[in-house]
């Protein structure tokens, strides 16, 4: 059984040591000893009751011996909407799908917080490889679960569909630039005409500025083929039932927020057959 625990201010020395340990494997990360601006989410393995590792060998205690197998950190307040700062699966536990579990957890928390973003950039080579697989699985599942739209008078058609990148991003909670990276790597899309611009309405931007609206035409059969070739699994790696009620959910102004009980622990479902690696 894997569980996720959040480490906060009372465990600053422990969090500093986690950061220093991660730095041994992640060359592109900087280490700051002030960890008060981050939350740390620990992935903890608890052996099943029938496992020889369930109890400490040196004691008769019935308490299972828990082991930390990985973690990710997240800024408490990110001006860039980063949902993850650093991620590490300890070397003996890599290539078991646990990296995808932590990535999925970071996106699930961001979705509850109503923050659309992604991991802190730059990403290491291993991290980029893992994220592309994770993003690919999320995007492919969203595409393939959409009902086919058949054009009038064109029997047998309907496998290709025009999709707005903005809509894809909002539905999957993956940043638009990351969606485009994955779709281009898949080689399953073609850009169509009719590109336009729409006003963002963001504070601090000029009246004439706007965001480009990009649409692509997606071939579902090519998406299925890509998933088979890359051995991408389409099952969700994190289940909403793994969260305590109210955990990380944004509370609108004026509401009485007494949801704090869910801030100590969260759980996710584990896909043991993935192929993710350590990243950052």
């Amino acid at each position: 059984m894997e569980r996720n625990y959040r480490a906060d201010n009372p465990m600053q020395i422990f969090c500093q040591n986690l950061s220093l340990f991660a730095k041994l494997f992640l060359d592109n990360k900087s280490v700051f000893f002030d960890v008060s601006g981050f939350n740390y989410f620990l992935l903890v393995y608890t052996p099943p009751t029938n496992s020889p590792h369930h109890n400490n060998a040196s004691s008769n205690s019935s308490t299972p011996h828990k082991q930390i197998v990985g973690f990710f950190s997240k800024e408490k307040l990110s001006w860039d909407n980063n949902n993850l700062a650093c991620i590490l699966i300890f070397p003996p536990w890599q290539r078991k799908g646990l990296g995808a579990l932590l990535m999925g957890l970071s996106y699930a928390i961001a979705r509850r917080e109503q923050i659309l973003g992604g991991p802190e950039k730059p990403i290491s080579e291993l991290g980029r490889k893992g994220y592309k697989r994770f993003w690919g699985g999320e995007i492919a599942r969203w595409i393939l679960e959409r009902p086919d739209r058949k054009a009038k008078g064109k029997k047998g058609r309907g496998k290709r569909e025009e999709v707005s990148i903005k809509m894809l991003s909002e539905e999957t909670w993956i940043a638009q630039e990351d969606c485009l990276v994955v779709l281009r790597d898949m080689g399953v899309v073609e850009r169509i005409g009719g590109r336009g611009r729409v006003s963002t309405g963001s504070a601090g931007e000029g009246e004439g500025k706007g965001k480009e609206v990009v649409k692509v035409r997606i071939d579902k059969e090519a998406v299925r083929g890509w998933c088979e070739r890359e051995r991408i699994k389409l099952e969700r790696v994190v289940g909403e039932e793994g969260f305590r009620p109210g955990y990380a959910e944004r509370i609108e102004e004026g509401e009485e927020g007494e949801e704090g009980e869910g801030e100590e622990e969260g759980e996710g479902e584990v896909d043991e057959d993935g192929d993710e690696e350590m990243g950052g």
Side-chain angles (χ1 to χ4, degrees):
M1 177 186 295
E2 276 76 16
R3 287 176 177 263
N4 281 282
Y5 296 88
R6 195 185 79 176
D8 209 334
N9 288 342
M11 305 179 69
Q12 286 207 22
I13 298 297
F14 176 75
C15 293
Q16 288 173 353
N17 289 336
L18 272 180
S19 298
L20 289 170
F21 183 70
K23 177 62 178 173
L24 296 174
F25 304 95
L26 306 173
D27 293 335
N28 65 317
K29 291 296 180 181
S30 300
V31 177
F32 296 95
F33 282 90
D34 182 9
V35 295
S36 59
F38 296 84
N39 286 325
Y40 287 72
F41 297 82
L42 312 181
L43 183 61
V44 179
Y45 173 69
T46 303
T49 54
N50 60 348
S51 169
H53 305 289
H54 180 71
N55 298 328
N56 292 324
S58 59
S59 69
N60 295 323
S61 172
S62 60
T63 304
H65 177 69
K66 298 178 181 179
Q67 181 179 357
I68 298 174
V69 300
F71 78 96
F72 76 88
S73 61
K74 176 181 181 295
E75 290 177 282
K76 294 179 180 178
L77 177 62
S78 172
W79 296 106
D80 297 320
N81 287 348
N82 295 328
N83 59 26
L84 183 146
C86 179
I87 179 172
L88 174 67
I89 297 298
F90 297 169
W93 294 86
Q94 291 176 16
R95 298 184 178 276
K96 297 180 182 296
L98 302 181
L101 172 62
L102 292 186
M103 293 173 191
L105 180 61
S106 69
Y107 274 93
I109 293 174
R111 183 165 56 247
R112 286 171 159 258
E113 296 173 336
Q114 297 294 296
I115 297 175
L116 196 160
E120 181 180 284
K121 306 295 194 304
I123 308 177
S124 69
E125 276 305 313
L126 289 176
R128 188 178 295 108
K129 179 181 178 182
Y131 264 104
K132 282 186 177 180
R133 290 182 64 84
F134 171 76
W135 291 331
E138 295 294 302
I139 291 171
R141 183 174 63 250
W142 182 82
I143 292 172
L144 296 176
E145 287 180 350
R146 289 174 59 81
D148 291 336
R149 290 184 178 181
K150 293 188 177 181
K152 293 181 180 180
K154 295 182 179 181
K155 295 182 180 181
R157 300 289 295 275
K159 296 298 183 181
R160 301 169 73 86
E161 182 179 352
E162 295 180 8
V163 174
S164 161
I165 295 299
K166 182 175 184 292
M167 179 177 67
L168 173 59
S169 173
E170 291 174 347
E171 292 287 332
T172 60
W173 289 87
I174 298 172
Q176 293 188 40
E177 57 268 25
D178 296 330
C179 289
L180 280 171
V181 166
V182 171
L183 290 173
R184 286 167 182 156
D185 283 352
M186 285 182 177
V188 299
V189 299
E190 60 180 271
R191 175 168 279 180
I192 58 179
R195 288 166 51 182
R197 302 187 76 84
V198 60
S199 175
T200 60
S202 300
E205 293 193 3
E207 292 292 333
K209 292 185 178 181
K211 272 189 177 178
E212 185 182 34
V213 177
V214 180
K215 286 188 175 182
V216 294
R217 185 176 289 116
I218 296 176
D219 185 336
K220 284 191 173 183
E221 291 303 319
V223 172
R224 289 191 182 93
W226 179 83
C227 290
E228 292 175 0
R229 290 193 306 272
E230 299 295 327
R231 298 181 180 180
I232 299 293
K233 294 192 174 183
L234 300 179
E235 295 86 357
R236 295 183 184 275
V237 295
V238 174
E240 286 295 317
E241 65 276 9
F243 289 93
R244 288 185 176 180
Y247 177 81
E249 290 181 353
R250 173 174 289 185
I251 300 173
E252 300 295 336
E253 292 184 6
E255 294 184 7
E256 293 184 5
E258 296 184 357
E259 306 287 345
E261 64 174 354
E263 293 188 354
E264 294 300 324
E265 177 181 340
E267 292 179 43
E269 295 178 355
V270 180
D271 176 6
E272 290 269 343
D273 297 323
D275 189 28
E276 305 302 335
E277 298 184 359
M278 172 190 70

